[in-house]
Structure formats: C-alpha cells, structure tokens
Amino acid sequence: MRQGLKMYLWLLAVNLFISAFTFGGGYVVVPMVRRFFVVRRKCFTEEELVNMAAVAQSTPGAIAVNLSALAGYKAAGMEGAVISCAAAVVPPLVILTLVSAFYRVFVSNEVIVAVLRGMEAGAAALMVDLIVDMCAMIQKKKSIFLSGMIPLSFVANYVLGINVALILLVCCFLCVVQVFYKKRKER
C-alpha cells in the first residue's frame, strides 16, 4: 500500500475516533490531537500544536474541526486537511441526528443523564491536562512576561469577569508590542 494512502487512511481513522469520543468542546480535542499526532506519530511538535490550536480558536467555526483540518494539513497537505475535516464532522453529525430524533427518550432516561455527567467530568480532566501542558510549555520559555500573563488572564476572566475574547486580544497585542520593542532595542 502506498505511503500516502496509508497516511490518508490513518488520518480518516484517527479523526473519526477523536471526533466520536471527545465530548466537552473544542479544547478537549487538543490533548487527543497531541497524543496521536505529536506523541505517537510525531507529525509536528508540541509548540506547533499550540500554535495550531491558537489559529483554530481564532478562526471562524468549531475549534475541533479547525484543529483537525490544520493537523491534517500539517501531516499530509491539502488532501490531509480535507480528509481530517470531513472525518471531524461526520461523528457529531450522526450523533446529533440520533439525539434529535430521540430527544425525549434521552432527556428522561436517568442512565443517559448519568453518562452525560460522567462525560462532563472526563472532559474537565482533559481540559486540565491541556492547561498543565500549555503552562509547562510557557514556563520552558523562561519569560517572566509570558509567565505573568497566565495568572493575570485567569484573574481577569474568573475574578473580574472580563470576556475571554477581549483577554486574548489584549494578550496578543501585548506580545506584538513586545516583539516590536525588542526589535527596536536591538537596533
């Protein structure tokens, strides 16, 4: 079997799996993409994954689909992006169709409600894992500026209730200003 075809089949299978078994939002997908694309296959580095996650978040559409498309593109070009994107959309489409068709049964079934609560707990654990990994990567850069952004962003959102989009814009702006400041200082 050709190497390209093997990669396309792998992308299809792994993205179908990730999409079918990650519940709790787009950020839950990041640790799964990390496990399959960074740790197991070494398609790209953790830093590249963090950059892709930032792009996936800042572009229109679902983070999970955007990240799948970017990971597929990085692993196998445009064909990989198309395959990954399609594979990321199919499971939620099928699941939502079934849930919609049997909504009354799902809402009133105690077992299904308990399963959904378990999924919430699992999704929270995956998000904490992602946060720990991202913080560790920031700490490796040994930048007081970037390290300081972590608690300040948390306080801004959790304590002061500032919108996440505004916090991200301010953080991006501050990093851009820092780059221009460093370049000007070097001259």
Side-chain angles (χ1 to χ4, degrees), residues 38-51:
V38 176
V39 175
R40 291 188 183 168
R41 275 284 175 120
K42 297 180 183 7
C43 295
F44 41 83
T45 65
E46 290 210 32
E47 189 167 337
E48 289 173 313
L49 173 60
V50 170
N51 292 337

Side-chain angles (χ1 to χ4, degrees), residues 75-93:
M78 190 55 75
E79 296 86 357
V82 171
I83 290 166
S84 296
C85 190
V89 171
V90 170
L93 183 66

Side-chain angles (χ1 to χ4, degrees), residues 63-182:
I63 295 170
V65 176
N66 293 347
L67 184 58
S68 294
L70 290 169
Y73 181 80
K74 187 77 172 167
M78 190 55 75
E79 296 86 357
V82 171
I83 290 166
S84 296
C85 190
V89 171
V90 170
L93 183 66
V94 170
I95 291 167
L96 283 172
T97 301
L98 291 172
V99 168
S100 297
F102 301 103
Y103 181 75
R104 291 187 199 281
V105 174
F106 282 111
V107 172
S108 62
N109 189 313
E110 289 181 32
V111 174
I112 292 175
V113 171
V115 167
L116 292 174
R117 284 192 190 121
M119 287 178 176
E120 285 176 358
L126 287 171
M127 285 185 217
V128 169
D129 180 49
L130 170 66
I131 291 166
V132 168
D133 287 346
M134 290 176 79
C135 289
M137 286 176 49
I138 290 170
Q139 295 300 321
K140 283 181 190 174
K141 294 183 185 305
K142 298 186 190 308
S143 166
I144 295 170
F145 179 73
L146 292 175
S147 296
M149 280 186 171
I150 297 169
L152 290 175
S153 297
F154 177 78
V155 168
N157 180 255
Y158 189 74
V159 176
L160 302 175
I162 298 173
N163 187 299
V164 175
L166 181 60
I167 294 168
L168 289 172
L169 285 173
V170 169
C171 288
C172 291
F173 175 76
L174 290 174
C175 286
V176 168
V177 168
Q178 182 192 34
V179 167
F180 284 119
Y181 176 75
K182 282 183 178 181

